[in-house]
């Protein structure tokens, strides 16, 4: 069990405190491309809903993806007429590019987006962002596939949506239910670190962001939504599906090779009683034992099959050595990746060499057992040989686990439990994607946020930079004192 943070972890989630602040709590981005007819009704309806129901200050940002109609003029007019509305123009298309650009420049602690057609019922907006404001979750998504969701759409789009999410579950082991619903939110401190890891600039942006976040252990909150299909949607289904499948292959390959630095997205542990340190129990022992036993059982079966095959044309000792050598290499590789979480090719040769030393010990145990059996009887039955080998392999397996944990992969466990960052309560410094790289890797580590002993109020500032530009230094925490600006209300004007 992990009880401390690794050098690249995010700070602990905290509830955004209520207080005076000029910065909006929520920034809702609406990416648009040639939406001159739908843009104004969408913004007016969203603004009216937020003004009556959302208890904090907010902002609506129109992200124009290189529209060729009068969409920019409509966006400019709305910006001039409504104080809470801003617009931004991109000269390149791509929903992912628009979200990355606007979210990277926003100073709001909670970032969200929704499609311009407002297919999702706006009554789900507050439940979407509430877990992020409270500090409970890192990301939140609307789900059209949850059991309590109410969805109206044609069978073709329903089939495509469900098939796509089944592909994600089967290929990328995704556990979230709906990747492409245009209704999502993220905490700004998470976005600052997560967005540089997301490569896609189009429709696959959502899926890649969620898969990377989930694999890193971030908490994703799902909100069942009421959703009505837009029959005039301009999404090209075939091209989008093709691009998504290419993205699934690219992300799956990156995860398999270990090229994504997921460690810098992990959260510190300790709030959950299950994560508290227990004396005399090494960290991660239970999980590693389960993984090692599963791999050990499969390796033993593989070893016995090899032994039986080699035994047909050679003696018992040679067959045992060959079968043990092949299965040991496979066993070391599997335990390296699955049991002890070592990714990438770094140190693989060293680990295999150490695994061969462990293999030699196992060879001595099994060969000695066969020699003892041969001394006891001149012609042992094949079933007797297998029984002796199983007993010897059980003893070798216990010894192998201890050696793997204490010697072969001990450097991995030590490196993930060392805190190298220092900080003070008054000015916790974080590093954005544009900051200078650290010697330890391509991404600079983030320190753990200091824990207040008596809940004092800290004042945090935010480094401002324009869209499309990288931050020119470190930025301070985005958590700020927030003041409710209007009472709670219900959206009586929403007919859905």
């Amino acid at each position: 069990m992990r009880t401390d943070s690794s050098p690249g972890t995010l700070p602990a989630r905290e509830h955004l405190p209520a207080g005076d602040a000029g910065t909006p709590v929520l920034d809702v981005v609406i990416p648009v491309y040639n939406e001159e007819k739908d843009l104004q009704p969408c913004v007016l309806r969203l603004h009216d809903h937020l003004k009556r129901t959302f208890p904090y200050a907010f902002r609506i940002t129109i992200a124009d993806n290189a529209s060729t109609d009068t969409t920019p003029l409509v966006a400019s007019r709305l910006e001039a007429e409504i104080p809470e509305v801003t617009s931004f123009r991109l000269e390149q298309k791509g929903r992912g590019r628009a979200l990355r650009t606007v979210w990277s420049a926003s100073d709001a602690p909670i970032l969200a987006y929704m499609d311009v057609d407002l297919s999702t019922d706006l009554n789900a907006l507050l439940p979407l962002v509430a877990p992020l404001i409270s500090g409970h979750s890192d990301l939140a998504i609307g789900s059209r596939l949850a059991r309590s969701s109410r969805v109206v759409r044609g069978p073709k789009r329903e089939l495509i949506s469900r098939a796509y999410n089944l592909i994600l579950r089967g290929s990328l082991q995704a556990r979230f239910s709906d990747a492409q619903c245009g209704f999502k939110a993220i905490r700004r401190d998470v976005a600052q670190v997560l967005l540089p890891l997301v490569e896609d600039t189009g429709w696959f942006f959502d899926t890649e962001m969620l898969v990377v976040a989930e694999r890193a252990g971030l908490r994703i909150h799902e909100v069942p939504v009421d959703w009505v299909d837009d029959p005039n949607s301009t999404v090209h289904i075939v091209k989008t599906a093709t691009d998504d499948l290419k993205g699934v292959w690219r992300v799956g390959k990156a995860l398999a090779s270990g090229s994504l630095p997921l460690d810098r997205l992990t959260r510190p542990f300790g709030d959950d009683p299950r994560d508290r340190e227990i004396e005399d129990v090494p960290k991660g022992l239970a999980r590693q034992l389960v993984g090692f036993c599963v791999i050990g059982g499969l390796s033993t079966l593989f070893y016995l099959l090899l032994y039986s095959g080699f035994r047909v044309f050679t003696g018992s000792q040679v067959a045992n050595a060959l079968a043990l050598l092949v299965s040991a290499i496979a066993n070391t590789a599997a335990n390296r990746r699955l049991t002890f979480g070592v990714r990438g090719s770094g140190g693989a040769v060293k680990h295999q060499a150490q695994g061969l030393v462990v293999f030699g010990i196992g060879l001595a145990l099994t060969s000695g057992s066969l020699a003892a059996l041969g001394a006891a009887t001149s012609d042992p039955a094949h079933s007797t040989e297998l029984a002796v080998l199983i007993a010897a392999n059980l003893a070798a397996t216990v010894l192998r686990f201890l050696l793997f944990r204490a010697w072969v992969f001990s450097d991995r466990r030590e490196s993930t439990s060392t805190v190298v960052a220092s900080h003070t309560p008054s000015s916790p410094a974080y590093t954005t994607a544009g900051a200078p790289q650290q010697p330890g890797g391509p991404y600079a580590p983030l320190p753990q946020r200091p824990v207040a002993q008596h809940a004092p109020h800290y004042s945090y500032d935010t480094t401002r930079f324009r869209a499309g530009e990288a931050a020119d230094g470190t930025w301070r925490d985005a958590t700020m004192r927030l003041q409710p600006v209007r009472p709670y209300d219900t959206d009586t004007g929403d007919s859905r």
Side-chain angles (χ1 to χ4, degrees):
M1 290 179 291
R2 294 178 52 187
T3 57
D4 50 8
S5 59
S6 59
T9 58
L10 287 165
R13 289 185 298 266
E14 292 183 357
H15 191 293
L16 298 175
D20 295 325
T23 302
V25 178
L26 174 65
D27 191 350
V28 182
V29 181
I30 304 176
V32 293
Y33 174 73
N34 291 347
E35 298 287 354
E36 58 185 0
K37 295 181 179 179
D38 295 335
L39 179 57
Q40 180 169 328
C42 164
V43 172
L44 293 179
R45 181 181 168 195
L46 175 60
H47 178 265
D48 177 70
H49 177 86
L50 287 172
K51 190 173 182 179
R52 292 183 294 105
T53 65
F54 193 68
Y56 297 112
F58 64 87
R59 178 193 301 128
I60 300 174
T61 302
I62 303 170
D64 177 21
N65 293 174
S67 295
T68 57
D69 59 3
T70 61
T71 297
L73 299 178
V74 177
S76 299
R77 184 172 65 251
L78 291 169
E79 181 178 19
E81 295 176 354
I82 305 175
E84 291 86 0
V85 175
T86 62
S87 63
F88 184 82
R89 167 79 175 182
L90 288 89
E91 298 303 329
Q92 292 178 295
K93 293 179 59 178
R95 182 179 68 172
R97 179 180 289 107
L99 293 176
R100 185 203 312 277
T101 303
V102 177
W103 280 355
S104 298
S106 179
D107 54 358
I110 305 299
L111 310 169
Y113 96 89
M114 62 181 59
D115 293 335
V116 69
D117 55 17
L118 293 185
S119 295
T120 305
D121 185 7
L122 292 178
N123 287 322
L125 181 55
L126 185 55
L128 181 80
V129 301
L132 308 185
I133 294 176
S134 68
H136 176 271
S137 301
D138 300 293
L139 299 91
I141 64 174
S143 175
R144 300 163 295 185
L145 302 181
R147 290 187 176 181
S148 57
S149 298
R150 293 179 293 180
V151 177
V152 178
R153 63 176 167 181
K156 179 180 178 181
R157 295 181 72 94
E158 178 77 11
L159 178 62
I160 292 175
S161 178
R162 292 189 177 275
Y164 178 65
N165 283 280
L166 284 176
I167 291 174
L168 294 180
R169 289 176 177 269
S171 59
L172 299 179
Q173 289 78 51
R175 295 190 298 273
F176 48 85
S177 63
D178 193 350
Q180 289 288 23
C181 180
F183 196 70
K184 295 182 176 67
I186 185 173
R187 287 178 63 102
R188 179 180 179 269
D189 57 349
V190 176
Q192 291 285 343
V193 188
L194 177 58
L195 294 184
L197 306 183
V198 180
E199 296 183 14
D200 191 80
T201 59
W203 291 96
F204 187 71
F205 174 87
D206 302 52
T207 302
E208 185 172 358
M209 179 180 67
L210 291 175
V211 169
V212 174
E214 187 176 71
R215 285 298 187 93
L218 299 182
R219 180 175 290 163
I220 301 175
H221 180 76
E222 294 197 17
V223 178
V225 298
D226 299 338
W227 194 85
V228 179
D229 189 15
D230 179 16
N232 298 319
S233 175
T234 58
V235 177
H236 299 286
I237 297 179
V238 176
K239 183 180 185 304
T240 301
T242 302
D243 293 340
D244 287 348
L245 292 177
K246 292 179 180 178
V248 169
W249 171 260
R250 175 175 55 80
V251 173
K253 183 179 179 181
L255 291 172
S257 64
S259 60
L260 286 171
L262 300 180
D263 287 345
R264 73 187 300 261
L265 287 169
T266 56
R267 288 286 189 186
F269 286 73
D271 294 336
D272 193 315
R274 293 170 296 180
D275 298 319
R276 294 174 184 171
E277 185 174 1
I278 302 176
E279 295 182 0
D280 301 326
V281 177
K283 300 175 184 178
L285 179 60
R287 180 188 61 80
Q288 291 180 358
L289 270 174
V290 172
F292 187 85
C293 288
V294 172
I295 295 174
L298 295 176
S299 297
T300 301
L301 179 60
F302 182 51
Y303 160 79
L304 293 175
L305 291 175
L306 290 175
Y307 176 81
S308 299
F310 291 142
R311 190 69 176 84
V312 174
F313 55 84
T314 187
S316 61
Q317 293 289 1
V318 176
N320 174 64
L322 291 175
L324 197 58
L325 175 62
V326 175
S327 61
I329 294 175
N331 181 276
T332 300
N335 278 301
R336 179 180 186 269
R337 176 65 179 86
L338 302 176
T339 303
F340 298 97
V342 182
R343 296 169 176 159
S345 58
V349 176
K350 173 186 174 184
H351 292 153
Q352 283 292 351
Q354 292 172 317
L356 289 178
V357 175
V358 178
F359 149 76
I361 299 175
L363 178 62
L365 285 174
T366 54
S367 297
S369 300
L370 287 175
L373 179 63
T377 176
S378 58
D379 188 20
H382 184 64
S383 59
T384 304
E385 286 184 347
L386 292 181
V388 170
L389 288 175
I390 290 174
N393 264 286
L394 288 176
T397 297
V398 175
L399 182 60
R400 188 184 306 121
F401 176 75
L402 296 176
L403 290 175
F404 274 179
R405 182 174 173 83
W407 177 46
V408 180
F409 303 111
S410 61
D411 54 336
R412 171 69 180 178
R413 296 186 299 105
E414 292 172 359
S415 64
T416 58
S417 61
T418 304
V419 178
V420 299
S422 61
H423 51 264
T424 60
S426 60
S427 60
Y430 302 88
T431 305
T432 63
Q437 296 181 358
Q438 299 297 324
Y443 299 101
L446 296 178
Q448 179 179 348
R449 179 180 297 167
V451 179
Q453 300 297 326
H454 302 290
H457 292 288
Y458 299 117
S459 176
Y460 298 98
D461 299 324
T462 304
T463 299
R464 300 292 303 274
F465 55 96
R466 295 188 301 273
E469 294 182 347
D472 56 1
T474 59
W475 55 280
R476 296 180 184 268
D477 192 285
T479 304
M480 58 196 67
R481 301 179 62 187
L482 306 171
Q483 177 65 44
V485 296
R486 54 186 63 85
Y488 284 89
D489 194 3
T490 57
D491 189 2
T492 56
D494 194 343
S495 59
R496 294 206 293 167

